[in-house]
Amino acid sequence: MTKPLKQNLSRIDLNLLTALEALLEERSVTRAASRLFIGQPAMSHHLNRLRELFDDPLLVRQGSQMKLTRRAKELAPKVKKILDQVRNDLLLVQEFDPASFDGHLNIGLTDYAESLYAEVIVQALLQSSPNCTVSFILVDRDSAFTLFRNGRLDLAIGSLGDGPNELAVDKLYTEKHVCLFDNERLQLGIPLSYDDFLSVDHALINNTGNVKGVVDDLLAQRGDRRKVRVTCGRFTSLLRLLPEQPLISVVPQVLAALGRPDQGLTMSPCPVPVPDFDIYVAWRKEDNDAPVLQWLRELVAGTVKQRRLSILP
C-alpha cells in the first residue's frame, strides 16, 4: 500500500525529484544517468530510493524495454509540473525592466545630499522608470541606520561610513570644506587669513540649535574662538542667508561651488584645517542581488558623480 506522501516529505529532495523525472522520461537507468551526468550506479541508487519512497517499482522490465507502472504514469505529469515551477519561478533570474517598474522607492538623503542631488536623481529616475514612485527621506547617520534596520530605506546617500555590519557602502567621493561669504560686504583678503576668519561673525549649520561644531573644537585646541551669530538647520537656508550679510560659513566645497555663481558669493580655502569627509551610497547587504536595487544603486551613483563633476570639474 502506498504511504501518504506527507509522511515522506523529509525523504525527498530536488535531486531525487530530478532523477525521478529523468527515469520516467527516459525509461532507462543508463540514459537517465547520462542525462544528469552521473554514473549508472548512482542512478540505480536513486531508483531504489524512489521505489521505497513510493512503495512501487515505477519501472518494470518487459522484454528488452522498461515500462512505467500505473503509479509512475500518474506521477510523471505531477513531477514535471513541480520541477517546471521550480525552474521557472525559483531558479530563473528575471531581467529587471526599469521602463515597466511601477514600485515605490525610499531614498534617504542627508541635508547635504538633498540640497545637491535630489533634483537630478528625480530626473534620472523618472526618465529611466516613468511609472515608479520615489520618496526622499531626510536623514542623518543615526536615523539612516535605524530606518535601514526597520526596512524603511532602500538606499541612502551621505556621510554614512562605518555603519552597522548589515549595511554595504560604496564611496562616491571625498568632500572638502571651504569658507563661503559675501566679500563685497566683508572686503576680506583672498585667500582668507586666520585672523580675518576670527574677526567676523559666522553662520553655522546645526539643526539642534547648538552654536558649536567641529570648527569650534579645533579653534579651542588653539585657545581661540569664533563668533557664531546664526545657526541654520538646512544648507539651502544658509545659501539664501549669506548674500548681503556680514557672515562667513564653513561649508562643503561642492555646495559652496553650487551657490557661488548665482548669489555673488566668494569661496576661499578655510584657514582652519577642518577634516575632509567621505560621501557614500549605502544599502542593506541582504539586497545586494535584488535586480531593482542593483539598478537603483548604479543609476543613483552615476547621477551623483556626474552632477558633482558638473559643479566641480
Side-chain angles (χ1 to χ4, degrees), residues 80-114:
K80 179 175 175 55
K81 181 179 179 180
I82 291 171
L83 290 177
D84 282 348
Q85 186 171 9
V86 171
R87 295 183 188 109
N88 295 330
D89 294 346
L90 296 182
L91 301 182
L92 183 65
V93 177
Q94 299 289 337
E95 290 189 7
F96 175 71
D97 178 19
S100 61
F101 176 67
D102 60 358
H104 190 158
L105 301 168
N106 290 317
I107 301 177
L109 299 177
T110 60
D111 176 40
Y112 163 92
E114 184 186 60

Side-chain angles (χ1 to χ4, degrees), residues 1 7 41 50 63 83-84 127 132 183 200 211-212 218 220 224 255 269 282 292 299:
M1 179 178 178
Q7 295 181 8
L50 289 163
L83 290 177
D84 282 348
Q127 182 177 1
C132 78
N183 207 30
V200 298
V211 295
K212 290 186 178 181
L218 293 171
D224 291 323
L255 194 73
V292 60
L299 183 143

